[in-house]
Amino acid sequence: MTIPGTAVPHLVRTHDNVFWFDGAAEGRLLVQRCTDCETLRHPPAPSCPRCRSFDWDSVESSRQGTLHSWTVVHHPQDPAFTYPLLVGLVDLDTGTRLVADFEPTDHDALAVGCPVEVYFAEHAHGEILPRLRLRPGHGESDVTQQGVS
């Protein structure tokens, strides 16, 4: 599905990130791992930030994490998105972070530390990308109410 009038660019696939986009298309959240020091890294990059090795493979990441921060986007509006658009920064249980759009959610329900999960959905040009949603049954009283809006 291509959305007419969208300014969203097409994905740029490189040697370093094609595995990630291919994994997303299969419903898998993959993370680069340095094969020399085993450091996990996201977003994908040519070399390890810890040991500078260019050798890597990928591992499947947990789709579970906690909300580190978020923002509420109102403008500029694009037909590819539902507004207000929530964008979250998630600390994945596997130790890396991911930035992704939330499914339509009341932003008052978000809190730093609340449990979230990653799922996959079609995006502006028919690509499949990760999205975020609150995990069912999370207790908001257990987390600090903070955020960026």
Side-chain angles (χ1 to χ4, degrees):
M1 149 190 89
T2 298
I3 298 176
T6 183
V8 175
H10 288 271
L11 300 178
V12 177
R13 295 171 186 258
T14 69
H15 169 74
D16 299 312
N17 71 18
V18 70
F19 78 95
W20 192 84
F21 290 118
D22 289 348
E26 297 169 358
R28 299 172 61 217
L29 185 59
L30 300 176
V31 175
Q32 265 185 334
R33 177 180 58 189
C34 176
T35 55
D36 289 342
C37 72
E38 298 189 359
T39 296
L40 297 177
R41 65 181 182 260
H42 184 79
S47 67
C48 176
R50 184 171 175 209
C51 74
R52 306 291 185 237
S53 172
F54 288 99
D55 298 322
W56 59 270
D57 62 6
S58 64
V59 295
E60 191 157 1
S61 175
S62 162
R63 291 189 190 190
Q64 308 294 307
T66 56
L67 188 60
H68 181 83
S69 184
W70 75 94
T71 189
V72 181
V73 179
H74 297 279
H75 298 285
Q77 292 196 358
D78 187 283
F81 302 100
T82 302
Y83 291 88
L85 174 64
L86 298 175
V87 180
L89 175 62
V90 174
D91 292 322
L92 295 170
D93 291 350
T94 49
T96 56
R97 285 188 172 158
L98 175 72
V99 174
D101 299 342
F102 264 93
E103 69 180 9
T105 302
D106 176 7
H107 70 275
D108 290 331
L110 300 180
V112 170
C114 67
V116 297
E117 63 186 5
V118 176
Y119 71 102
F120 294 88
E122 191 171 337
H123 202 261
H125 301 291
E127 300 103 342
I128 304 298
L129 293 175
R131 292 198 57 160
L132 304 172
R133 63 181 162 217
L134 294 173
R135 276 191 258 169
H138 81 278
E140 287 184 45
S141 61
D142 300 336
V143 293
T144 305
Q145 187 71 35
Q146 298 175 1
V148 179
S149 41

